Amino acid sequence: MNWYPWLSQAYRQLVESHQQGRGHHALLLHANAGTGADVLIYGLSRWLMCQNKQEMKSCGKCHSCRLMMAETHPDWHIMSPEKGKTSIGVEMVRQITETLYRRSQQGGVKIVWLPSAEGLTDAAANALLKTLEEPPECTYFLLECQQPTSLLATLRSRCFYYFLPVPKAEGTLYWLQKQLPSISPNDAMTALKLSQGAPIAAEQLLQPEQWQIRKQFCQAIEQALDKRDALSLLPRLNHENAPQCLHWLISLLLDAVKWQRQAQSYCINQDQQTLIYQLSSMHTTAVLLQNINDWTYCRHQLLSVVGVNWELLLTEQLLNWEKQFNS
């Protein structure tokens, strides 16, 4: 895995806690998507597994290091949903727990990595509690989450909570422009703001194909506003990327409110000022804020309601928005 410079301080703090005998057997790492939390977890796992540690670094040469680099270490367990499922069930927890109580195959530590702790069902989380409270010897649990409040309080209480913040914008912009030299500073800042400051997410958004999709979506909104035809946006929304497109739309509506308050410099979409002005001219602040609430709720339903009819939900919301165009 590629290492990212903004992870070094967190890595140093976590490793030092283990060197000083304060390392917790269960780490709950709270981080936004696109900050590289999985890379940090992997780096910490490498260090814990290493049989010949070089102070704060793993040696890269011992048998455990070679197995980790090949991703074939028998004592490194990844707990993630089975293929075709979105949650981690109690049976998987029981199977891994049984494995943990056996002797480690390499005679060293055992690690369980949960890339998304939110995926645990309540039954699975409860099954994990006893093991977290009384773990087998030399066993570590490394849990990642984006929304710790969605986890059982009893699960959180058995872990050492660590928040990985997004890096400062100045350093991130420098890193982005090194990765993508052809990207303008304006586009880099826009992508970073749309990604809540997460560098890797911003880099992915700035990839030519993805950035073009966003630009085309903004053009489609502009045309829909000109024609007073919000329903024309349905083909661009009714697909698996709808939540991301709605995130872009909501950010534009928020920018329109800022524009009305003479706060243009705080707009997220600095490359879409014509569209932001158009939105700000069409609605009052009260209507824009209601639109933001409506679209945020629509996005929440798409992401959280199992079996919801996306086309019907989006059509209803677009028709409601279209009525406001002509009121």
Side-chain angles (χ1 to χ4, degrees), residues 133-292:
E133 191 168 359
E134 299 177 5
E137 189 178 359
C138 298
T139 299
Y140 297 93
F141 294 86
L142 307 177
L143 291 73
E144 287 181 49
C145 71
Q146 295 180 29
Q147 298 176 321
T149 54
S150 68
L151 304 178
L152 293 179
T154 47
L155 183 70
R156 298 199 306 269
S157 69
R158 286 163 173 77
C159 299
F160 171 71
Y161 171 85
Y162 188 95
F163 177 64
L164 178 65
V166 295
K168 292 182 179 179
E170 296 82 1
T172 304
L173 288 172
Y174 175 75
W175 179 81
L176 279 172
Q177 290 181 312
K178 278 188 68 178
Q179 307 305 308
L180 304 164
S182 61
I183 294 298
S184 70
N186 199 37
D187 283 356
M189 179 58 80
T190 296
L192 190 60
K193 289 181 176 180
L194 284 170
S195 305
Q196 289 79 51
I200 302 168
E203 183 193 20
Q204 291 169 350
L205 177 56
L206 285 167
Q207 295 303 315
E209 184 178 352
Q210 189 68 8
W211 196 242
Q212 185 62 24
I213 289 172
R214 174 182 166 272
K215 284 189 174 182
Q216 289 172 350
F217 180 65
C218 291
Q219 290 168 1
I221 296 174
E222 210 168 334
Q223 292 167 5
L225 296 177
D226 288 337
K227 297 176 182 178
R228 301 293 197 272
D229 180 17
L231 199 58
S232 64
L233 292 172
L234 183 60
R236 292 191 175 273
L237 287 173
N238 190 28
H239 53 73
E240 61 183 9
N241 289 333
Q244 184 176 43
C245 289
L246 292 186
H247 169 62
W248 295 337
L249 173 57
I250 293 164
S251 73
L252 288 162
L253 292 167
L254 284 166
D255 283 347
V257 174
K258 295 171 190 174
W259 194 284
Q260 290 182 343
R261 293 291 179 263
Q262 308 299 314
Q264 291 91 332
S265 61
Y266 293 95
C267 288
I268 294 171
N269 301 275
Q270 290 291 334
D271 62 335
Q272 296 294 329
Q273 296 197 17
T274 301
L275 176 54
I276 295 169
Y277 172 74
Q278 191 176 5
L279 284 165
S280 70
S281 303
M282 290 185 67
H283 301 303
T284 64
T285 300
V287 171
L288 284 170
L289 291 174
Q290 185 59 53
N291 286 336
I292 291 166

